Amino acid sequence: MPPTHAALICVALPGLAISTDQGQLTGRGLEGFYHAGRRMLSRCRLRVAGREPLAVQARMIAADRARFVGTVHASPDAGPDPDVVVERIRRADGTELIILHSAAPRPLRLPVEVALGTDLAELGAIASGSTGPELAASVHDSGLRWSCRTGDCTVTAHPPPADALASAGLLRWQLELPPGGRRSLELRVRQKGTGRVRTVGRRVRSPFAPAVATGDDPRVQPLLRTCVEDLHALLLRDPVNPTDTHLAAGAPWRCGPAPAEALAAARITLPLGTRLAVGTLRILARTQLGGPGRESGMIPGPRRDAGAHLPPGCTGTEATLLFPVLLAEARRWGLPERKAEELLPAAEHCLRWLRITVGDGVYLCDPQPGGPQRCEIQAYAHRAALLGADLLDAYGRPGASELRQWAQALRDAFGEDFWIEDPSGGRPAAARTRDGRLVPHLGAGAAHLLDTGLLGSGTLAPGLLDKARTEQLARLLGGTAADSGWGLRGLSATEAAYNPFGHRSGAVRIQETAVAVAGLAAAGHEREASGLLQGMLAAAEAFDYRLPEMFAGEPRTKGSDPVAHPAACRPAATAAAAGVLLLTALAGIRPDAPAKTVTLRPMRTAPLGEIVLTGLRLAGAPFSVRVGRIGLAMVEEAADGLQLGV
């Protein structure tokens, strides 16, 4: 796969623009403009006065835009200082604005040319290195056109070029620049017969509240702003019901539907409102499997690599267990009752699948049938049972007591079957195999044992670990083997097969780190939570606040930066959503909109000093909270009638 770690990726799905820091699109690697997974333009090389601009700066200016600055010596007697500045604004919607600024003391007549080319290749073919040659161009209107059996593309220019040479793929201009003057050119990349790429995030009402974070730590504001921008850029619209939106997993590799990631991201962005949650639930309810088979009730999803010690897991299992959890918690955040009732049958099907699949046993295997009993899947299943039972009781539906009885049996057995005693205090096993053998490796998946879910009255569901073992897990997650200093490693550095770049065997994964921070804080282990939080904020700053889905688990040392993973999606839905969770965990917001209460359990140590979160959404109204420097929280804005719980 071509590396992405140094690329500037402009995203506004279904559009992408991928560039290097040189600004030129050369046709190598992933470079180009994309629409719906097809590369519309692979080459766009600019020459001014017969030479390529010297690249001096490249940066993202928004989730969907990048700015490149270059310089040119246009006058032979200009000396060491360049006299033309070339600015390029590249957008994910297929437009590029080229602006030439003159600093010369006399008028300039500049020849400008743009060399264009494309292979109209699919992203999958580019990733596997199986693209074909560039296609032949033809002159079309004020630009060029390419076509093949599977697609077509045009590039038009404004103002129109003086010359368009199809055989060389060239557009040429002669531009007059007065002293201190500027001229601009705009290129528009389009599929034949279509207008401007209509990006999803700009066509639908935003599902996210206009939240703002401020406070003593200057990093909180750009982190929240960038995370929400990236979430907007990854929005997808359902073709069946265009008012429903959900999130793609990440760019550039996973721009299509990914049920487990979409549900996880919707869940941890509930403080920004419930519209994304309801859209995601509706879309996935339409994919739910029916019929009499053992998969009836499942939300289908692909297999996912689980690292060196376990076979691939089924993301459909994860999605099926997340569905009732998201519905139950969205209701606590203020999802209207009629919308929750509409989705209740699909949640019941998920819960029925859980009970039928477990049968007379205690544990849920993944994948089905006969796969290992994974630690984190037991945590997902236990949470789904308890929150699902809560949901069923709320609507007078049967089955709640059976789910609670099974969850109790799982708690009773888990401590015996999944805990490995050792002189250091023990640890949870990563999994049990079919023959009962324990897989002892400590990984970031153990953080999900801390994420128990939200019940009524601001209380958290009980977890699979007792207080003493939760304390031991906190020590393990806060230790240097698991905590790289930048975040939580996917596999502890002392384990066999540890690989700092292994996406399930040592790389830092943003979602699991945020889950650990929130879970540790909720359990009262604020020292360990604060260490992971500070590391994550430092990593976010190093990545210009656009967090990748993962990065290398190399240890943090004085003066070092986190090391990028060459194949990580950036932006990624769960990573962008994790930024929201990291900040809201500081306030410990536990809502119960049906009961018209909200409880606050802030981090008493106030690791970031004072923080103010304004413009969140709770019970259908704006919600703002302030956490002071001594760890006391105060509601500053809330829905009428919302009471502060004890």
Side-chain angles (χ1 to χ4, degrees):
M1 294 170 64
T4 60
H5 63 285
L8 283 76
I9 304 177
C10 306
V11 185
L13 295 182
L16 293 173
I18 304 178
S19 319
T20 71
D21 60 3
Q22 298 301 297
Q24 302 278 37
L25 299 181
T26 65
R28 293 191 290 266
L30 281 170
E31 294 175 42
F33 286 96
Y34 293 78
H35 177 69
R38 182 181 295 279
R39 182 156 62 183
M40 294 289 102
L41 190 70
S42 58
R43 190 162 52 87
C44 181
R45 301 191 75 148
L46 172 68
R47 291 174 66 88
V48 178
R51 56 183 64 88
E52 294 192 4
L54 174 67
V56 295
Q57 187 186 71
R59 65 184 183 93
M60 300 294 300
I61 55 176
D64 65 338
R65 296 187 297 281
R67 178 178 183 262
F68 306 90
V69 179
T71 61
V72 173
H73 286 79
S75 305
D77 56 351
D81 300 327
D83 52 0
V84 175
V85 176
V86 181
E87 181 182 6
R88 302 172 77 169
I89 307 295
R90 187 167 295 151
R91 301 175 61 116
D93 66 1
T95 59
E96 178 159 335
L97 181 64
I98 301 170
I99 307 168
L100 283 77
H101 307 260
S102 173
R106 58 180 179 80
L108 296 176
R109 181 176 176 83
L110 295 177
V112 176
E113 66 179 34
V114 178
L116 304 169
T118 188
D119 50 16
L120 291 176
E122 295 283 354
L123 184 58
I126 298 168
S128 62
S130 57
T131 60
E134 282 194 356
L135 302 171
S138 60
V139 177
H140 178 80
D141 290 339
S142 57
L144 299 173
R145 175 188 171 190
W146 300 263
S147 61
C148 66
R149 181 179 56 85
T150 56
D152 49 61
C153 171
T154 63
V155 174
T156 57
H158 180 79
D163 295 298
L165 305 178
S167 60
L170 280 178
L171 303 181
R172 290 174 171 168
W173 295 261
Q174 289 287 337
L175 299 182
E176 304 280 352
L177 269 74
R182 56 179 279 170
R183 290 290 304 275
S184 62
L185 308 170
E186 186 179 57
L187 304 176
R188 300 173 184 173
V189 184
R190 304 287 184 262
Q191 286 182 295
K192 183 185 174 185
T194 65
R196 181 173 178 171
V197 175
R198 301 179 66 198
T199 58
V200 172
R202 298 186 184 278
R203 284 185 286 161
V204 298
R205 179 185 166 197
S206 173
F208 306 114
V212 175
T214 56
D216 292 338
D217 194 313
R219 298 172 294 184
V220 300
Q221 186 170 5
L223 175 61
L224 184 58
R225 183 186 67 247
T226 304
C227 286
V228 174
E229 282 184 2
D230 284 344
L231 291 167
H232 267 289
L234 291 169
L235 282 174
L236 292 173
R237 193 164 66 166
D238 182 46
V240 176
N241 188 342
T243 60
D244 290 338
T245 57
H246 68 299
L247 291 167
W253 307 119
R254 305 177 67 203
C255 293
E261 284 86 349
L263 287 163
R267 179 180 175 231
I268 56 183
T269 56
L270 283 171
L272 302 180
T274 60
R275 290 190 68 243
L276 178 65
V278 73
T280 302
L281 290 167
R282 283 174 175 165
I283 291 167
L284 294 180
R286 291 191 278 269
T287 73
Q288 192 170 37
L289 300 177
R294 61 180 176 82
E295 293 183 341
S296 179
M298 277 197 77
I299 307 294
R303 297 286 176 97
R304 179 171 60 199
D305 182 72
H309 299 295
L310 289 168
C314 179
T315 60
T317 300
E318 185 179 332
T320 307
L321 298 173
L322 274 169
F323 190 100
V325 169
L326 175 57
L327 180 58
E329 292 191 327
R331 182 172 172 267
R332 296 293 173 198
W333 279 93
L335 180 66
E337 295 290 357
R338 63 176 182 80
K339 293 183 179 180
E341 284 190 86
E342 169 197 333
L343 290 158
L344 185 60
E348 289 182 287
H349 291 325
C350 292
L351 296 169
R352 190 177 303 117
W353 170 86
L354 170 60
R355 289 300 298 123
I356 290 173
T357 303
V358 172
D360 295 331
V362 178
Y363 300 116
L364 180 64
C365 297
D366 176 52
Q368 291 290 329
Q373 299 161 357
R374 303 172 195 266
C375 173
E376 63 195 82
I377 291 297
Q378 311 318 309
Y380 288 150
H382 182 260
R383 181 181 62 201
L386 292 179
L387 271 65
D390 199 43
L391 190 64
L392 295 177
D393 277 348
Y395 292 100
R397 302 291 297 164
S401 60
E402 183 184 5
L403 286 167
R404 291 193 181 98
Q405 288 170 10
W406 172 75
Q408 181 64 60
L410 179 59
R411 285 198 298 278
D412 293 341
F414 189 88
E416 285 290 322
D417 294 341
F418 270 82
W419 192 263
I420 302 171
E421 295 289 356
D422 61 36
S424 68
R427 63 170 62 188
R432 294 174 80 242
T433 61
R434 291 183 64 182
D435 58 4
R437 179 177 58 85
L438 292 179
V439 181
H441 310 288
L442 179 68
H448 293 284
L449 291 168
L450 301 168
D451 180 10
T452 59
L454 180 67
L455 297 175
S457 304
T459 61
L460 299 179
L464 289 175
L465 298 180
D466 60 23
K467 183 177 180 181
R469 287 175 173 173
T470 299
E471 184 176 344
Q472 171 63 5
L473 179 58
R475 283 195 293 269
L476 292 171
L477 296 182
T480 56
D483 180 3
S484 70
W486 301 110
L488 195 62
R489 293 184 174 101
L491 186 67
S492 173
T494 58
E495 301 288 354
Y498 165 73
N499 173 3
F501 286 92
H503 70 286
R504 296 282 171 183
S505 55
V508 172
R509 298 191 63 84
I510 310 303
Q511 179 188 356
E512 279 80 3
T513 302
V515 166
V517 169
L520 289 166
H525 300 288
E526 293 193 10
R527 183 181 65 83
E528 293 83 359
S530 296
L532 289 169
L533 173 63
Q534 293 286 3
M536 195 92 282
L537 280 173
E541 186 177 22
F543 285 112
D544 292 328
Y545 301 100
R546 173 179 265 191
L547 285 164
E549 62 177 325
M550 60 184 169
F551 54 87
E554 295 285 352
R556 183 179 179 181
T557 58
K558 186 176 181 180
S560 68
D561 282 327
V563 179
H565 191 292
C569 285
R570 182 170 176 247
T574 53
V580 179
L581 179 59
L582 288 169
L583 297 181
T584 54
L586 291 163
I589 307 167
R590 302 182 186 179
D592 189 350
K596 299 186 183 304
T597 64
V598 61
T599 303
L600 301 178
R601 294 287 185 269
M603 292 179 68
R604 297 294 186 182
T605 54
L608 303 184
E610 183 176 76
I611 183 171
V612 182
L613 301 171
T614 59
L616 302 176
R617 197 83 180 165
L618 198 165
F623 181 79
S624 301
V625 61
R626 178 187 300 269
V627 180
R629 297 181 184 92
I630 58 173
L632 296 178
M634 178 175 63
V635 174
E636 296 197 330
E637 183 181 23
D640 291 342
L642 193 68
Q643 301 294 315
L644 192 62
V646 178

